[in-house]
Amino acid sequence: MEAQPVDPATLGMLLYRAHRLARAKSNEAARPAGIELQHAGVLSAVRTGGVRSQRELGAALGVDKSTLVRIVDDLERRNLVRRQRSRHDRRAYEIVLTEDGERRLDEANGLFADAMSGLLKVFDDEERHRLHELLSRFVAQD
């Protein structure tokens, strides 16, 4: 029996709902660390060392300038990052991860992983690998 075609709009809605579920569960799980996924994305990008300025961060994360400034301001208030003058361009500021930022990002990443493991229990190992493969191919279009 041949599989019925999948309605692209329905599939898009399922992807949206999956994103919302994963984000909500991850944010809820990481509440003790005081970090949400949006914070973790910025902290992780800074940790890699490949991006330093707010402009580079925004481009790397696909986040508009005003949203990124709000997130970095919030992280700075919490002493998870600090802004410092760039050694290469005195007009620009670099975003630097603090020790507390490192520690709390590590804590949050563990909590995020636990939350996702719980959500992914509906799949066996083979299905998880296949889902990873499919989603990797899907986002590689970007």
Side-chain angles (χ1 to χ4, degrees), residues 4 9-10 16 24 41 52-53 57 59 84 93 104 106 117 131:
Q4 294 295 321
T10 300
Y16 174 73
R52 289 287 184 192
S53 72
L57 272 174
Q84 68 184 26
Y93 284 91
R104 293 194 29 210
D106 288 340
S117 291
L131 180 61

Side-chain angles (χ1 to χ4, degrees), residues 3-142:
Q4 294 295 321
V6 175
D7 175 30
T10 300
L11 189 54
M13 186 54 71
L14 283 171
L15 285 169
Y16 174 73
R17 289 178 59 199
H19 162 78
R20 287 184 51 123
L21 175 63
R23 182 180 181 125
K25 293 291 185 183
S26 293
N27 284 340
E28 180 183 322
R31 192 168 289 134
I35 292 178
E36 294 183 358
L37 281 172
Q38 67 179 355
H39 299 122
V42 170
L43 294 173
S44 295
V46 171
R47 177 188 271 177
T48 65
V51 294
R52 289 287 184 192
S53 72
Q54 284 186 189
R55 181 180 300 125
E56 291 171 331
L57 272 174
L61 297 170
V63 176
D64 66 87
K65 182 180 177 180
S66 61
T67 300
L68 185 65
V69 167
R70 183 180 47 77
I71 295 169
V72 172
D73 285 349
D74 187 32
L75 292 170
E76 192 173 37
R77 270 192 303 278
R78 297 171 184 214
N79 194 36
L80 303 179
V81 299
R82 72 177 189 283
R83 291 176 172 102
Q84 68 184 26
R85 288 273 185 201
S86 170
R87 290 171 285 180
H88 304 33
D89 180 355
R90 299 286 297 157
R91 297 168 296 171
Y93 284 91
E94 293 180 346
I95 309 302
V96 179
L97 202 58
T98 65
E99 284 185 34
D100 195 32
E102 289 270 0
R103 183 185 58 74
R104 293 194 29 210
L105 178 59
D106 288 340
E107 179 184 355
N109 282 338
L111 296 168
F112 293 144
D114 290 345
M116 287 309 302
S117 291
L119 286 173
L120 294 171
K121 283 183 180 177
V122 298
F123 303 118
D124 63 31
D125 283 343
E126 186 178 322
E127 289 171 322
R128 278 186 226 129
H129 284 287
R130 183 71 178 142
L131 180 61
H132 182 271
E133 176 189 325
L134 292 169
L135 289 174
S136 295
R137 241 177 42 213
F138 183 78
V139 299
Q141 301 176 91
D142 188 22

